[in-house]
Amino acid sequence: MNMINKFPENFVWGVSTSSYQIEGAVNTDGRGKTIWDTFCEVPENIVDQTNGAVACDHYHRYPEDIRLMVELGAKAYRFSTAWSRVQPEGFGGVNQGGIDFYNRLLDSLLEHNIEPWLCLNHWDLPQGLENLGGWRNRETSFRFAEYAEIMARHLGDRIPYFITHNEPNVVALLGHGWGWHAPGIQSAEAVMAATHHLNLAHGLAVSAIRKTVPNVNIGTVITMQPVVDWDIDPIGSTRLDALFNRAFTDSALLGTYPELLFDELTPFVEEGDMELIHQSLDFFGLNHYTTMRARSTPENALGVEILAPPVETPQTIKGWEINPAMLYQQLLEFKDRYGNPPVYITESGCASPDEPNVEGLVSDPDRVAYFRDYLHAASLAIEDGVNLKGYFAWSLLDNFEWAEGYTQRFGIIYVDFTTQKRIPKDSFYFLKNIFHNNHI
Ligand code: IFM
């Protein structure tokens, strides 16, 4: 394989964030409570006992954040909207305060020539819906389609790219199986119900958006982390791969569920559901960070656990293996399995222990190396025929990293959470160069 440094013309360079991780302002302009507000109230759920109540205060500081995106040369910004700002309970009337905020954000992005990529669900389900069974309740899928329609009607004239969910597989597995994320449930049955209802919600939302704004591009985002070292436990590896990598992607792109999960999913599947889920999409968003190793265990509800990589394996402070060759392999497998649809890497990045030096500058050589090597792998995949059309770095800002609170910094911009000062890190300037020149 020859290294190509140049990316295709019109390759989309962007950055990603999500509402609960950066917005703050949780009690502002009529926003309703979400499952993450509730989950963070239990001290042992978040390692540093924090929450997203203030986070990066992006709700008020978005003009500064957009100026930084302009400096970076980002062509696109993938963000999520908080459902509970728009429908505080997750159903019923529209809260104009929420729509107004996203109008301000959108208008400012467009003024600065940044293409908005709007994701409807990055995990912060309204608590009002959780009280009715959340994603375990089939009705939530229909409420999601109503919310999608509202967003398309109010904002669709300025949104070229709509995304239904971000990483619904994480919502199902970490939120309902292993219990590390909101709503903190540990039940295989809950995972299966949530899996199917999230998929159904995706399909119904795609139809609702298409009917409202026929010309927009619509896709979904799933995180795909290849399972490696299958010989450790072939049965556990097959199960983890089916649950994590296949149950959402196969259903959205092929209209089927992995055979291994048929018996567990069937109780939730009604006639016609698979057709509703299997919508024609304009693009697929693939989030990729690392690899996974599996081991079967009777000690958790799902019967399988993710093992830490061997100590000698290169890994980030989060314990995620650094293995760019697996991104290459993942993209090639994706191309072959799903017929090479347009794909964007909608998240890629790493956590590192960044702090400003005495001059106030933030050097993050590990992240620079990560981007360099993963982008190199992506360029090889393009050379080998993958229809990869863009790359979004995770993340624009250090932010609230879910159960890890503020202990894991993923940003290309350092955030001092006491003063809210932003400091672009070395990786920001590294990407700026790539974004401007279209080559590594
Ligand atoms: O911070 C998360 C993001 O919300 C979803 N994808 C993975 C990131 C890093 O863990």
Side-chain angles (χ1 to χ4, degrees), residues 17-18 21 78 122-123 166-167 170 181 223 225 287 289 318 320 347 349 394-395 399-402 404 410:
T17 65
S18 91
Q21 293 181 275
R78 187 189 73 117
H122 198 124
W123 309 357
N166 178 75
E167 303 185 355
V170 171
H181 279 187
T223 186
Q225 316 303 330
N287 292 355
Y289 288 90
K318 206 169 155 76
W320 288 0
E347 281 185 27
W394 183 269
S395 182
N399 58 47
F400 176 73
E401 176 56 15
W402 309 112
E404 249 90 39
F410 271 90

